[in-house]
Short mmCIF file of all heavy atoms in Angstrom, two decimals:
data_model
loop_
_atom_site.label_atom_id
_atom_site.label_comp_id
_atom_site.label_asym_id
_atom_site.label_seq_id
_atom_site.Cartn_x
_atom_site.Cartn_y
_atom_site.Cartn_z
N GLY B 408 13.70 19.73 12.39
CA GLY B 408 14.65 20.52 13.16
C GLY B 408 14.01 21.00 14.43
O GLY B 408 12.90 20.61 14.78
N SER B 409 14.72 21.87 15.13
CA SER B 409 14.13 22.43 16.34
C SER B 409 14.51 23.89 16.45
O SER B 409 15.52 24.33 15.89
CB SER B 409 14.59 21.67 17.58
OG SER B 409 15.97 21.86 17.75
N GLY B 410 13.67 24.63 17.14
CA GLY B 410 13.93 26.05 17.33
C GLY B 410 13.61 26.84 16.08
O GLY B 410 12.61 26.61 15.41
N LEU B 411 14.49 27.76 15.75
CA LEU B 411 14.20 28.68 14.65
C LEU B 411 14.83 28.25 13.33
O LEU B 411 14.53 28.81 12.29
CB LEU B 411 14.70 30.09 15.00
CG LEU B 411 14.11 30.63 16.30
CD1 LEU B 411 14.69 32.00 16.63
CD2 LEU B 411 12.59 30.72 16.20
N GLN B 412 15.67 27.21 13.41
CA GLN B 412 16.26 26.72 12.18
C GLN B 412 15.18 26.10 11.31
O GLN B 412 14.26 25.46 11.81
CB GLN B 412 17.30 25.65 12.54
CG GLN B 412 18.33 25.42 11.47
CD GLN B 412 19.23 24.24 11.83
OE1 GLN B 412 18.89 23.41 12.66
NE2 GLN B 412 20.38 24.16 11.20
N TYR B 413 15.21 26.29 10.05
CA TYR B 413 14.25 25.72 9.10
C TYR B 413 12.85 26.27 9.27
O TYR B 413 11.88 25.66 8.81
CB TYR B 413 14.21 24.19 9.18
CG TYR B 413 15.55 23.54 8.91
CD1 TYR B 413 16.18 22.79 9.90
CD2 TYR B 413 16.18 23.70 7.69
CE1 TYR B 413 17.42 22.21 9.65
CE2 TYR B 413 17.41 23.13 7.44
CZ TYR B 413 18.03 22.39 8.42
OH TYR B 413 19.25 21.82 8.20
N LEU B 414 12.71 27.40 9.95
CA LEU B 414 11.39 27.99 10.16
C LEU B 414 10.70 28.24 8.82
O LEU B 414 9.50 28.05 8.68
CB LEU B 414 11.53 29.31 10.92
CG LEU B 414 10.31 29.77 11.71
CD1 LEU B 414 9.89 28.72 12.72
CD2 LEU B 414 10.63 31.07 12.44
N GLU B 415 11.51 28.65 7.83
CA GLU B 415 10.95 28.94 6.50
C GLU B 415 10.38 27.71 5.84
O GLU B 415 9.49 27.80 5.02
CB GLU B 415 12.07 29.49 5.60
CG GLU B 415 12.11 30.99 5.55
CD GLU B 415 13.23 31.46 4.63
OE1 GLU B 415 13.40 30.85 3.56
OE2 GLU B 415 13.92 32.41 5.01
N GLU B 416 10.97 26.55 6.18
CA GLU B 416 10.53 25.31 5.54
C GLU B 416 9.28 24.75 6.18
O GLU B 416 8.60 23.90 5.60
CB GLU B 416 11.63 24.23 5.67
CG GLU B 416 13.02 24.72 5.35
CD GLU B 416 13.18 25.04 3.90
OE1 GLU B 416 12.75 24.23 3.07
OE2 GLU B 416 13.74 26.11 3.59
N ALA B 417 8.97 25.21 7.38
CA ALA B 417 7.88 24.61 8.15
C ALA B 417 6.54 24.54 7.42
O ALA B 417 5.87 23.50 7.48
CB ALA B 417 7.74 25.32 9.50
N PRO B 418 6.11 25.61 6.73
CA PRO B 418 4.79 25.55 6.08
C PRO B 418 4.60 24.34 5.16
O PRO B 418 3.51 23.79 5.08
CB PRO B 418 4.74 26.85 5.27
CG PRO B 418 5.62 27.77 6.01
CD PRO B 418 6.71 26.92 6.58
N LYS B 419 5.67 23.91 4.48
CA LYS B 419 5.56 22.77 3.58
C LYS B 419 5.14 21.52 4.32
O LYS B 419 4.47 20.64 3.78
CB LYS B 419 6.92 22.44 2.95
CG LYS B 419 7.52 23.49 2.09
CD LYS B 419 8.71 22.87 1.38
CE LYS B 419 9.99 23.54 1.75
NZ LYS B 419 11.14 22.97 1.06
N PHE B 420 5.61 21.43 5.58
CA PHE B 420 5.35 20.22 6.35
C PHE B 420 4.01 20.26 7.06
O PHE B 420 3.64 19.32 7.75
CB PHE B 420 6.47 20.01 7.37
CG PHE B 420 7.76 19.61 6.74
CD1 PHE B 420 8.67 20.57 6.31
CD2 PHE B 420 8.05 18.27 6.53
CE1 PHE B 420 9.86 20.20 5.68
CE2 PHE B 420 9.24 17.89 5.92
CZ PHE B 420 10.14 18.86 5.49
N LEU B 421 3.31 21.38 6.92
CA LEU B 421 2.03 21.52 7.60
C LEU B 421 0.86 21.52 6.64
O LEU B 421 -0.28 21.29 7.03
CB LEU B 421 2.01 22.84 8.40
CG LEU B 421 3.07 22.94 9.49
CD1 LEU B 421 3.17 24.34 10.04
CD2 LEU B 421 2.76 21.97 10.62
#
Side-chain angles (χ1 to χ4, degrees):
Chain B
S409 66
L411 303 177
Q412 202 186 19
Y413 301 118
L414 204 58
E415 264 180 42
E416 315 291 315
K419 297 191 242 181
F420 289 89
L421 299 169

